[in-house]
Amino acid sequence: MERGRRKAEDEDVGLFLDTDFPPDDSALLSDGSTPITKLKDCITFLRPQEICQSPELFPEDINLGHAKQGLLGDCWLLCACTILLQNKHLLNKVIPPDQPLWGDHEYKGIFRFCFWQYGQWKDVIIDDLLPCTDSKLCFSRCLSPTAFWVALLEKAYAKLHGSYERLWAGQVSEALVDLTGGLAEHWSLGSFETEGDDDKQQDTDRVRRRPGRNLVKMVKDNCILSCSTNSRPAVEEASELGQYHALNVLEWLEVSTMSGHKVHLLRIRNPWGRCCWHGSWGEGSPSWSSLDPLCSMDLQARISQGEFWLDEEEFVSMFDDVTAAYQVDENGHLKSIYSGHMLIYHQQLAGVWIKGYSAGGSRNSNSYSTNPKYWLKVRERGEVLVTLLQHKENKRMTKSVQKLVEDRGINKHQHYHAIALHIWKVEKRRFDLSRVLNKAAFASTHCHAYDREVVLNQELEPGYYLMIPSTYQPEAEARFLIRVFSSSSVSLSALKKPALSLPSTIGGEWENSFLQGAWVKGSTAGGSRNFPSHWCNPRFLFSVCDDTMHTPEVNINITLHQNPPEKDLHPIGFHVYKAQDGTSESKCPKKDELVASCIPHCYNEVVSLPCHLPAGVYTIVPSTYEPDCPATFTLCISHRVHRKVVKCQETLGRPIQEISCVSLMHN
């Protein structure tokens, strides 16, 4: 369809045409990585009154207002839409009421929607030109062919993301947050890990806690559930579902058979709008005869188009993940899915990880302490939810859709960094950051996850808590939002960056010297100064030249890098002593000869210490914390080089003219 003709027709009748999201391929596609690319030549954009005679926003029968998925792979969004039909105040927030509709005198073909985005509600204005094939909606629609709220909301959400194509594949939890301003958690349906594994709390993005069905059953009454498949279903009865599909859990109840046996049944709704289950509790199954006839008739009568019942065991075998959405009341307060308490207090702060400044990476990195830091002051004991939400980067995709589906995890990683949140309880505001960070965290999200938002739930006593959000990789830049929901009064504030006692070694000119060494068990692995064998460690001499500048800035930076051993990293550190006789073979030095230390010993691959040392000769003693911990290592000693400033009066003037010289050879 020609855009020019569409524009002329709409102008003739005074209808709104959204030039920011025009009815053409730019609204449909971003990079052509999905199957809708093949449909673009078949798609035309029509207004609802061109699709049916009497369009309406919502049908009279609300059951016919449920979403039905079309040719676009956005079941994750449609599952989230169900929450709007169940909550009038949320529906009115997302779709403001009293907008002129078809047939109204004020109707101009314009609609307004609101979505929650990174801490605030954002208006999205669209026209009502919708993608169609053969004069019918080709993407999402309502079960009622005359209702258009789903199709219009989908268009507004596509505009928010940049195109319809960017709605292909996503997380239900993200859409739930965008439609409610609340919170959602994403879990695996696996069994609990062993106690030993759970206690390790490994700080890696490869480890994910698996809460299992017991936790889901515990919270089901306080939340709204959806479920999804991430692989081919293991049972034949669900073979139609295929991979990567999300559905709604409408009910989860316990019934008794006539023999007294307890059965947990779940009512599931498929956004495709058709039944895809033929298991033990499918239509006409003999299992229904095991229930009281009245109970059986009541449960089967509840099933609408696209819905079906299954029992708990079938549910666990059929689905891989569950998303639990927190209920939000009319005042915007969240209801805890764990306790049922209303979390009436809410605060949020925006932050950013900046490369070379505040993007410190995980606790595996020596730069972890440079990450942004926040104070949480808890005034009285209560339940506290802290979330870390990162901003999405819409990077251009280059993979084929087949590869994108097969490698779905990496597709998600294209948009997000692996993030985590750690919390330490501190006694007072004046504290030693190094000592705090070398202790185990009081609470954490347990691993770095490639999710838009990670959630930490904890019952907290009154006091101060230090919170540090981080990415797994250092130097990963992103904006983020810290949100706190609590049942008791709390205050959230950013920890001001303290004035450094020593300037950073970044910048200026530096000369590096590299020294290799090894801690050998029974020989040179002497351990820390807590042990008599400390002076058995390798020792290295270096000298500092006279600094005629006489400035107190950093002039030496020492870095100790341990080569990863066969098992875990050793806690490492080093001490710097004044070498009185100019050799490293002197006896154990006196306490007053110690001039600098990189302590406490840390389980890091790299530790470093910037310092200012007067001219002279020094000895470095690198060590592990305990003796007899074998490993090889590298020492890097960086010396700042001072250059005299050359005064110059050069200024910008006329451009330099190029002169071409041609040499002629005369015969």
Side-chain angles (χ1 to χ4, degrees), residues 422-658:
H422 290 76
I423 296 180
W424 288 264
K425 191 175 191 304
V426 294
E427 295 300 324
K428 52 186 177 181
R429 282 202 173 215
R430 296 181 62 85
F431 68 102
D432 187 318
L433 180 61
S434 297
R435 291 184 180 274
V436 170
L437 297 187
N438 277 285
K439 297 178 181 178
F442 173 80
S444 72
T445 52
H446 299 281
C447 68
H448 284 74
Y450 286 104
D451 291 326
R452 185 175 76 165
E453 188 168 25
V454 294
V455 181
L456 193 160
N457 172 268
Q458 196 75 31
E459 191 82 15
L460 295 182
E461 298 289 344
Y464 285 103
Y465 296 84
L466 174 69
M467 303 194 304
I468 300 184
S470 65
T471 59
Y472 184 71
Q473 295 290 346
E475 306 299 314
E477 292 191 314
R479 291 179 294 157
F480 62 83
L481 183 72
I482 296 280
R483 297 199 286 166
V484 177
F485 304 89
S486 61
S487 59
S488 60
S489 178
V490 299
S491 63
L492 176 67
S493 60
L495 179 63
K496 295 181 180 179
K497 203 170 185 67
L500 296 175
S501 57
L502 292 172
S504 171
T505 59
I506 298 174
E509 293 186 53
W510 295 80
E511 291 181 351
N512 300 319
S513 301
F514 295 91
L515 304 168
Q516 305 293 329
W519 294 297
V520 180
K521 187 176 181 180
S523 175
T524 59
S528 68
R529 294 210 306 167
N530 295 341
F531 302 91
S533 57
H534 171 69
W535 201 242
C536 295
N537 285 295
R539 288 167 281 175
F540 300 87
L541 275 178
F542 74 99
S543 60
V544 178
C545 297
D546 184 31
D547 184 3
T548 57
M549 303 293 290
H550 296 296
T551 59
E553 64 182 340
V554 169
N555 62 347
I556 298 293
N557 188 62
I558 305 169
T559 303
L560 173 61
H561 183 291
Q562 65 171 312
N563 297 323
E566 293 182 1
K567 296 183 179 179
D568 296 328
L569 292 172
H570 301 305
I572 59 173
F574 57 83
H575 298 279
V576 181
Y577 301 90
K578 181 72 173 177
Q580 298 293 350
D581 58 357
T583 70
S584 62
E585 300 302 323
S586 60
K587 297 179 181 180
C588 183
K590 300 176 183 178
K591 288 184 178 180
D592 57 1
E593 294 173 346
L594 179 65
V595 294
S597 296
C598 183
I599 55 174
H601 288 65
C602 302
Y603 285 96
N604 287 342
E605 188 173 342
V606 180
V607 296
S608 64
L609 177 69
C611 54
H612 175 79
L613 297 178
V617 181
Y618 298 87
T619 299
I620 302 176
V621 183
S623 65
T624 58
Y625 182 75
E626 293 184 343
D628 294 334
C629 295
T632 58
F633 61 84
T634 301
L635 266 175
C636 176
I637 305 174
S638 302
H639 298 254
R640 181 185 286 275
V641 179
H642 290 287
R643 308 287 186 192
K644 288 186 177 180
V645 177
V646 179
K647 293 186 178 180
C648 179
Q649 296 180 347
E650 208 173 326
T651 59
L652 287 174
R654 292 189 223 167
I656 298 175
Q657 296 180 354
E658 294 186 358

Side-chain angles (χ1 to χ4, degrees), residues 288 291-302:
W288 290 108
L291 302 181
D292 178 89
L294 292 178
C295 176
S296 177
M297 290 176 59
D298 175 54
L299 295 182
Q300 294 186 75
R302 299 184 194 183

Side-chain angles (χ1 to χ4, degrees), residues 226-334:
S226 69
C227 50
S228 59
T229 58
N230 295 331
S231 58
R232 290 287 177 186
V235 289
E236 293 183 3
E237 290 81 358
S239 58
E240 185 185 351
L241 280 179
Q243 293 175 298
Y244 316 128
H245 189 48
L247 302 89
N248 288 109
V249 180
L250 302 181
E251 286 187 89
W252 187 326
L253 49 83
E254 181 182 87
V255 296
S256 297
T257 65
M258 289 187 291
S259 63
H261 179 66
K262 300 291 185 182
V263 179
H264 290 272
L265 294 180
L266 296 92
R267 181 161 62 99
I268 309 294
R269 185 179 182 280
N270 181 11
W272 289 339
R274 63 178 185 270
C275 182
C276 57
W277 177 248
H278 308 286
S280 299
W281 297 89
E283 184 178 359
S285 169
S287 296
W288 290 108
S289 62
S290 67
L291 302 181
D292 178 89
L294 292 178
C295 176
S296 177
M297 290 176 59
D298 175 54
L299 295 182
Q300 294 186 75
R302 299 184 194 183
I303 296 177
S304 300
Q305 186 176 344
E307 297 177 6
F308 56 92
W309 288 98
L310 76 171
D311 63 37
E312 184 181 349
E313 295 302 322
E314 293 171 327
F315 177 74
V316 173
S317 65
M318 177 176 170
F319 296 104
D320 300 302
D321 299 309
V322 166
T323 299
Y326 287 67
Q327 297 181 27
V328 183
D329 68 12
E330 295 184 7
N331 297 316
H333 298 150
L334 266 63

